[in-house]
């Protein structure tokens, strides 16, 4: 059995039992002997609950809030920049800011995954928290396109990337049969962030201006980052150093097909999220004030879409839950073409928010089940997220370019629906390679 280091209280390290303290349950055992101590055994499995385990979920919730939550909130900045600060830029150029932010969030998982596996969890969270808060504060000072790109696109993107892999890789260390449910609760933080950040900005910007409205978001991110840093502790540390890449994983068809599926799905996934407000205004479906609530409505529905499917995924398997959600999301994207009324767009936002939420909450759990052991979870997540990031990078700018050249939303809507359908097909192939075609098999 692979030897690992266990962080926690009351465990023997190199034959000695560490001194217990009132805060020992939240404090990592520190080895100063130069070697990683022996650890995990059958007598010391994950607790699958308890105060310490659920504290990690709370901390992970706020990491999602400050990473994916900020990405999910970019739609409000897309609309504001098109109409005010960067009105001289095309929708495609503006969407590059959000796309690069999301791209960096996932692509640097190639580096942060192995760094996490090496035990540098706290360093990643501290670095990520600083970059996110610093990027938001610098965005408040921006007046030109390249300044916004550097601050909001690159700086926040890098910071979010440092937070993402730790937020999902730590939970399997504390949960066994409740992994998907715990991850769903944590991932719902990104949906709540996608509600809070846009509403706070929309309500404050007319009163105190762009700069201070953005700074308020920075102070909020700072406070929530402090909560995560105070609660989260790594429990299991691999004894061996991990490589930045594990290319052998791509020789496993289920893993490879799952990664290809994520690439295509993320090309189309964020088109409605980035453009739903602009669509509502330009198509004269609703006035700008009401349209500004479409993104928060979508993200509010996503909270339930990240918790409820994950609850059932612990019983059915993550792939079995992700496949139907991916298919419904694709169909909804195509139905978006015919929606021209306020009630219809509201219903679309709710349904799309619910089904699309699984694309953030379930893949980490699925990748855990597609990994041979926890020691390579961080590396494998990083590689898969890096490929998915390429889809995120090109998806919304291509949609923006089509919109700019045609003046119509039909092209972006077809692109979103088509790529999501392709993603659902590859996801189904991954499941078949994993457990076979029988629908009753847990996967």
């Amino acid at each position: 059995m692979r030897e690992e280091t266990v962080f926690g209280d009351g465990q023997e390290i190199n034959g000695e039992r560490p001194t217990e303290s009132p805060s020992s349950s939240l404090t990592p055992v520190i080895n100063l002997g130069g070697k990683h101590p022996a650890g995990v055994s059958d007598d010391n499995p994950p607790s699958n609950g308890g105060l310490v385990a659920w504290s990690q979920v709370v901390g992970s919730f706020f990491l999602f809030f400050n990473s994916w939550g900020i990405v999910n909130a970019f739609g409000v900045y897309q609309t504001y920049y098109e109409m005010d600060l960067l009105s001289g830029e095309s929708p495609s150029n503006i969407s590059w800011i959000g796309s690069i932010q999301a791209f960096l969030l996932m692509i640097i998982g190639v580096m942060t995954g192995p760094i996490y596996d090496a035990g540098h969890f706290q360093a990643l969270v501290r670095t990520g928290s600083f970059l996110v808060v610093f990027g938001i504060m610098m965005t408040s000072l921006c007046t030109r396109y390249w300044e916004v790109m550097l601050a909001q696109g690159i700086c926040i993107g890098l910071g979010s990337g440092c937070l993402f892999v730790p937020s999902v890789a730590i939970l399997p260390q504390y949960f066994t049969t409740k992994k998907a449910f715990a991850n769903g609760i944590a991932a719902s933080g990104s949906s709540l962030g996608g509600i809070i950040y846009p509403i706070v900005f929309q309500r404050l910007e007319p009163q105190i201006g762009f700069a201070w409205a953005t700074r308020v978001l920075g102070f909020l991110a700072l406070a929530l980052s402090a909560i995560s840093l105070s609660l989260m502790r790594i429990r299991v540390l691999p004894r061996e150093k991990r490589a930045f890449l594990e290319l052998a994983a791509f020789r496993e068809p289920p893993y490879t097909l799952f990664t290809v599926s994520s690439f295509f799905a993320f090309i189309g996934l964020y088109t409605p999220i980035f453009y739903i407000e602009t669509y509502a205004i330009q198509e004269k479906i609703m006035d700008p004030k009401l349209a500004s609530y479409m993104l928060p409505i979508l993200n509010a529905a996503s909270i339930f879409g990240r918790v409820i499917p994950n609850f059932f995924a612990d019983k059915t398997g993550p792939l079995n839950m992700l496949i139907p959600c991916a298919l419904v999301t694709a169909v909804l994207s195509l139905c978006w073409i015919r929606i021209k009324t306020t009630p219809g767009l509201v219903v679309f936002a709710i349904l799309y928010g619910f089904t699309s939420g699984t694309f953030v909450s379930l893949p980490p759990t699925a990748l855990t089940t597609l990994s041979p052991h926890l020691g390579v979870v961080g590396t494998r997540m990083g590689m898969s997220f890096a490929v998915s990031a390429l889809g995120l990078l090109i998806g919304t700018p291509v949609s923006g370019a089509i919109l700019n050249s045609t003046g119509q939303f039909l092209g972006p809507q077809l692109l979103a629906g088509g790529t999501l359908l392709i993603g659902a097909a590859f996801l189904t192939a991954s499941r078949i390679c994993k457990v076979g075609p029988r629908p009753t098999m847990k996967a």
Side-chain angles (χ1 to χ4, degrees), residues 2 4 113 116-117 165 168-169 172-173 179 238 242 246 248-256 258-259 318-319 362-385 430 434-435 443:
R2 189 178 300 274
E4 297 171 300
Y116 168 86
D117 284 339
V165 168
V168 294
Q173 297 188 4
K179 285 196 297 284
R242 303 298 177 190
E246 190 203 351
F250 290 109
R251 293 199 292 267
E252 301 173 15
Y255 177 84
T256 301
F258 181 89
T259 301
L319 293 176
L362 279 176
T365 307
L367 287 168
T368 301
T369 64
L370 294 174
S371 300
H373 53 82
L374 288 177
V376 296
V377 166
T379 299
R380 288 194 171 208
M381 281 187 184
M383 293 191 303
S384 182
F385 294 158
S430 173
K434 177 70 175 176
V435 297

Side-chain angles (χ1 to χ4, degrees), residues 277-305:
E277 289 187 22
T278 305
Y279 176 78
I281 296 170
Q282 289 190 7
E283 296 294 310
K284 296 181 171 54
I285 296 174
M286 56 186 69
D287 62 78
K289 184 175 181 180
L290 181 58
S292 68
Y293 285 96
M294 286 298 97
L295 184 59
I297 288 172
L298 188 153
N299 283 317
S302 187
I303 292 177
F304 301 97

Side-chain angles (χ1 to χ4, degrees), residues 68-409:
W68 279 108
I70 292 175
V71 171
N72 289 341
F74 184 77
V76 70
Y77 279 98
Q78 175 83 26
T79 303
Y80 175 78
Y81 291 153
E82 287 184 27
M83 297 183 171
D84 196 310
L85 187 67
L86 302 176
S87 57
E89 300 289 340
S90 69
S92 179
N93 286 346
I94 293 171
S95 68
W96 273 109
I97 299 169
S99 291
I100 287 179
Q101 185 184 88
F103 169 75
L104 290 173
L105 185 157
M106 300 190 77
I107 192 69
I108 66 169
V110 173
M111 294 180 291
T112 58
I115 291 172
Y116 168 86
D117 284 339
H120 302 295
F121 171 83
Q122 286 285 322
L124 285 173
V125 175
R126 288 172 185 152
T127 301
S129 298
F130 169 78
L131 288 174
V132 166
V133 174
F134 181 73
I136 295 174
M137 294 303 185
M138 290 300 100
T139 300
S140 72
L141 303 176
C142 297
T143 58
R144 288 177 287 185
Y145 178 79
W146 68 268
E147 295 173 343
V148 179
M149 177 63 78
L150 286 175
Q152 191 171 15
I154 296 177
C155 188
I156 295 178
L158 290 172
S160 299
C162 290
L163 299 179
F164 180 42
V165 168
S167 69
V168 294
I170 195 172
L171 297 182
Q173 297 188 4
Y174 288 88
F175 294 92
T176 53
T177 61
K178 300 176 182 177
K179 285 196 297 284
F181 183 52
N183 196 72
I185 294 175
S188 68
S190 62
S191 299
L192 186 62
I195 299 170
I196 300 299
Y197 282 128
I199 290 179
V200 170
F201 179 81
Q202 288 164 348
R203 297 301 295 267
L204 292 182
E205 190 276 328
Q207 301 176 35
I208 61 178
F210 168 80
W212 272 106
T214 301
R215 287 174 196 141
V216 169
L217 303 186
F219 288 123
L220 176 61
L222 177 63
L224 298 180
S225 296
I227 295 175
S228 296
L229 282 166
S230 66
L231 291 176
M232 301 183 77
R233 296 293 183 269
I234 196 170
R235 191 186 76 90
V236 179
L237 182 66
R239 181 169 185 173
E240 301 173 358
K241 289 186 177 181
R242 303 298 177 190
F244 276 82
L245 295 174
E246 190 203 351
L247 297 180
F250 290 109
R251 293 199 292 267
E252 301 173 15
Y255 177 84
T256 301
L257 290 168
F258 181 89
T259 301
V260 173
S261 164
S262 297
F263 167 77
F264 281 105
F266 275 104
I267 290 177
L269 184 67
Y270 271 81
T271 295
I273 296 173
F274 275 30
Y275 288 106
I276 190 169
E277 289 187 22
T278 305
Y279 176 78
I281 296 170
Q282 289 190 7
E283 296 294 310
K284 296 181 171 54
I285 296 174
M286 56 186 69
D287 62 78
K289 184 175 181 180
L290 181 58
S292 68
Y293 285 96
M294 286 298 97
L295 184 59
I297 288 172
L298 188 153
N299 283 317
S302 187
I303 292 177
F304 301 97
R306 299 183 189 202
V307 176
I308 296 174
N310 282 57
F311 175 79
F312 290 105
D314 281 321
K315 300 172 177 60
T316 66
L319 293 176
N320 286 339
M321 189 57 58
L322 190 54
I323 290 170
C325 288
L327 183 59
V328 173
T329 303
V331 172
L332 286 170
S333 295
L334 296 174
C335 290
W336 181 28
I337 296 171
R338 303 297 297 172
I339 297 175
K340 304 294 180 182
T341 65
T342 296
L345 193 61
V346 171
V347 171
F348 166 77
I350 293 171
L351 294 177
Y352 190 86
F354 183 90
T355 58
S356 65
T358 57
F359 281 93
V360 173
S361 61
L362 279 176
T365 307
L367 287 168
T368 301
T369 64
L370 294 174
S371 300
H373 53 82
L374 288 177
V376 296
V377 166
T379 299
R380 288 194 171 208
M381 281 187 184
M383 293 191 303
S384 182
F385 294 158
V387 175
S388 303
L390 297 175
L392 268 173
L393 179 65
I394 65 178
T396 52
V398 169
S399 294
I402 296 172
L403 175 62
N404 193 50
S405 63
T406 64
Q408 297 181 345
F409 281 88

